[in-house]
Amino acid sequence: MKTLEEIGEIREKKRRELELRVNTKLDTREKHILVCHGTGCTSSKSPEILENFRRILKEKNIENVRVIKTGCFGLCAKGPIVIIRPEDTFYAMVKPEDCEEIIEKHIQNGEIVERLLCKDIDGSKVKSLDELNFYKKQKRIALKNCGVINPEDIDEYIAFDGYLALEKVLKEMSPEEVIEVVKASRTSWTWWSRISYRKEMGVN
Ligand code: FES
């Protein structure tokens, strides 16, 4: 990757390929099985789950399904977490031995594996992450792509706007404009620090 044009081409091509990660209505025969590889899920055998999915898909000659490792979904106590997109089905506390059933029922027959659906705080079963009360009141900003992309794949990062700010700086802004943005961010940081400091010291 040597030019901004190359980054732009990767973004466009890869984004089309990954549209099913964010568009639950996408009309496609392809599926992505997202397996959380955050610390909690990894310690509860998510690498084994990922390997099992890949092995079973290979044995059964299923070609339109990809298995992807992702970062933490933010619900570690319910891990290992597996999400199937584009439909966004959310399976919790998955064990390596559950992979066979998920492939047979969900992937091959389009049936949800009810017993693996995540339970909400009131005991009701939820089908997707967004239905959980824990998530309903949240708006992820810095971590919005965590759990959506493979953090070890730079092309997936680029597909979801990675390096876009750099591109903007190099193509659209003058050095003076960049300095102004940096200054403005420092100003707000200083302002916020001053307020926190005064609060801590009990000064009005
Ligand atoms: S480590 Fe998997 S949800 Fe946090």
Side-chain angles (χ1 to χ4, degrees):
M1 218 185 310
K2 292 197 176 71
T3 62
L4 287 176
E5 284 64 36
E6 259 183 86
I7 294 182
E9 280 162 24
I10 293 172
R11 181 176 296 120
E12 209 177 303
K13 180 171 170 267
K14 200 74 183 176
R15 183 55 200 243
R16 273 200 305 272
E17 201 183 292
L18 300 185
E19 187 59 21
L20 82 168
R21 301 265 182 96
V22 286
N23 183 353
T24 53
K25 304 272 180 291
L26 196 73
D27 186 16
T28 173
R29 286 175 53 79
E30 201 185 338
K31 290 198 189 300
H32 288 185
I33 301 177
L34 307 179
V35 183
C36 178
H37 272 59
T39 315
C41 291
T42 297
S43 64
S44 311
K45 300 192 178 170
S46 63
E48 208 178 307
I49 292 170
L50 181 127
E51 284 314 314
N52 274 4
F53 275 132
R54 288 190 174 153
R55 178 182 50 76
I56 297 165
L57 289 168
K58 201 168 172 205
E59 282 168 8
K60 291 180 180 286
N61 243 339
I62 299 173
E63 287 181 346
N64 58 337
V65 179
R66 284 175 55 193
V67 187
I68 319 284
K69 66 162 81 163
T70 72
C72 174
F73 287 99
L75 208 65
C76 317
K78 299 279 185 186
I81 306 279
V82 169
I83 292 190
I84 303 188
R85 306 232 173 169
E87 57 270 51
D88 203 22
T89 307
F90 175 31
Y91 293 126
M93 293 179 159
V94 177
K95 295 191 183 68
E97 52 272 31
D98 295 324
C99 297
E100 190 91 40
E101 188 178 353
I102 293 176
I103 297 283
E104 270 179 24
K105 280 199 179 154
H106 190 126
I107 300 295
Q108 294 188 291
N109 292 313
E111 286 169 39
I112 283 176
V113 185
E114 296 278 339
R115 71 178 182 87
L116 292 174
L117 287 178
C118 186
K119 279 195 190 140
D120 210 340
I121 199 148
D122 58 4
S124 62
K125 287 184 176 173
V126 296
K127 289 198 177 127
S128 77
L129 211 62
D130 293 342
E131 289 176 25
L132 262 185
N133 280 311
F134 177 68
Y135 282 108
K136 275 186 189 157
K137 294 179 191 146
Q138 296 185 35
K139 181 173 171 54
R140 286 179 149 202
I141 298 173
L143 294 175
K144 75 173 176 177
N145 293 327
C146 193
V148 176
I149 63 169
N150 176 353
E152 294 175 0
D153 184 333
I154 193 72
D155 288 359
E156 294 206 357
Y157 169 69
I158 292 170
F160 285 88
D161 296 343
Y163 298 128
L164 207 59
L166 175 68
E167 205 173 314
K168 190 177 163 120
V169 162
L170 294 176
K171 277 167 120 174
E172 297 169 24
M173 295 170 78
S174 67
E176 290 73 22
E177 283 171 323
V178 175
I179 290 169
E180 282 314 310
V181 171
V182 174
K183 272 189 184 164
S185 72
R186 183 170 178 270
T187 309
S188 53
W189 182 84
T190 310
W191 172 81
W192 177 247
S193 319
R194 205 179 300 141
I195 303 242
S196 315
Y197 176 76
R198 288 170 77 96
K199 231 174 157 184
E200 218 169 278
M201 302 306 283
V203 182
N204 288 320

